[in-house]
Amino acid sequence: MPVFVDSPLAIKATEIFRRNPAYLDAETKALFDRGEDPFGLPNLQFTQSTDQSREINTMAGPAIVISASGMCNAGRVKHHLRHNLWRPESSIVFVGFQAVGTPGRKIVDGAKTIRILGEEVAVAARVFTIGGFSSHAGQSQILQWLSHFKINHPEVFLVHGEQKALTTLAGLVRERFGLTVRIPRYLEEYTLTPGAEPVVTVDEQQTKPPVDWEGLLTAMEGRLTRLREQREALAARPLEEQSEIRQRLEDLDQNLKQLAEM
């Protein structure tokens, strides 16, 4: 079975490891000493170009695709999900943490459909999660890193993570090291000056932008009116096109029904 590394950044990172075997762990260095290349598997392929990436989704037979980004919110993985998420014979394997609000988290939490590249795609593939592969430092690693700061009593800003985890970590940092810890809110700006309290500013208009519900709903009603006016033209289209349009309208109707029942 072919294995594709389909991420330009991951390909470049792999080359860094390949060129610096002295920094690898003992087990991996032993492979190199025996003349084995753990990055040179006969069935491993690196897809650098966009065309090579597209070809993966046109090939026949099974394959393993290692792609990015890890939370499915950018990059080539979105195209692979679009082509495979709806297939019951496919498997999606997550090897890192999925933050709230990301497509990856929605899939892990059991979403029946997910919007990818402007389309609603059914989630029919089998979904698996494997912990322990995240490249981010966890709570214990961050605390261990902070323990090395012996002078200057630095202030700590926690800006990456979910609110509950950030609050817990902030409490541990204060308790163990007596440091000042700040958890900035969305779009808060801090001006830092040595020896002075940070100046905090936030644009409330940006953090809580008003929603023009009347304008939004009026625009939707206008588009529906124009669609009604095109009924005869729609009925004259080939049956295959009519079936596709009907399916899209049924999907839209289902989404509107869910919104109306919130």
Side-chain angles (χ1 to χ4, degrees), residues 25-253:
D25 60 26
E27 182 180 359
T28 310
K29 282 192 286 187
L31 292 175
F32 280 102
D33 292 340
R34 294 198 300 268
E36 299 180 36
D37 181 3
F39 305 115
L41 306 176
N43 57 337
L44 183 64
Q45 301 180 42
F46 296 92
T47 53
Q48 186 71 257
S49 71
T50 303
D51 288 339
Q52 289 174 323
S53 176
R54 290 197 185 104
E55 289 175 2
I56 295 174
N57 289 311
T58 63
M59 63 178 291
I64 295 173
V65 181
I66 303 172
S67 191
S69 67
M71 298 185 191
C72 306
N73 53 0
R76 297 177 178 180
V77 70
K78 296 176 70 173
H79 294 275
H80 295 304
L81 289 174
R82 181 186 181 189
H83 283 87
N84 295 283
L85 196 57
W86 54 272
R87 299 169 57 191
E89 68 271 24
S90 295
S91 297
I92 313 298
V93 183
F94 292 95
V95 297
F97 177 73
Q98 305 300 308
V100 171
T102 63
R105 181 62 171 267
K106 294 175 183 177
I107 296 172
V108 169
D109 285 347
K112 300 302 181 184
T113 63
I114 186 169
R115 193 166 186 81
I116 302 176
L117 300 173
E119 296 181 12
E120 288 293 327
V121 180
V123 182
R126 292 173 293 177
V127 178
F128 301 88
T129 58
I130 301 176
F133 282 89
S134 175
S135 59
H136 293 286
Q139 183 188 99
S140 60
Q141 289 92 349
I142 291 174
L143 292 172
Q144 195 273 339
W145 178 72
L146 283 172
S147 70
H148 294 283
F149 289 86
K150 304 300 183 183
I151 58 175
N152 294 335
H153 201 76
E155 292 192 12
V156 177
F157 288 80
L158 300 180
V159 297
H160 189 81
E162 296 183 12
Q163 191 61 41
K164 183 178 179 181
L166 291 175
T167 302
T168 300
L169 179 58
L172 291 171
V173 172
R174 295 186 186 105
E175 176 185 339
R176 296 192 186 184
F177 309 115
L179 300 178
T180 299
V181 184
R182 303 179 191 274
I183 305 176
R185 293 186 301 142
Y186 178 58
L187 291 180
E188 274 188 344
E189 295 184 4
Y190 283 73
T191 301
L192 306 180
T193 304
E197 277 289 305
V199 177
V200 185
T201 57
V202 60
D203 188 338
E204 294 292 344
Q205 189 71 14
Q206 286 188 338
T207 57
K208 299 179 181 178
V211 178
D212 182 8
W213 291 109
E214 184 63 29
L216 182 61
L217 294 174
T218 299
M220 292 180 64
E221 290 169 354
R223 294 187 182 97
L224 184 58
T225 298
R226 288 197 296 274
L227 192 61
R228 285 198 185 98
E229 295 170 351
Q230 298 176 26
R231 279 180 297 182
E232 292 185 5
L234 292 173
R237 291 182 177 230
L239 288 178
E240 293 82 359
E241 289 187 25
Q242 291 188 49
S243 296
E244 181 181 351
I245 294 170
R246 181 188 64 189
Q247 183 61 54
R248 293 172 66 180
L249 286 173
E250 288 176 349
D251 292 342
L252 178 60
D253 179 65

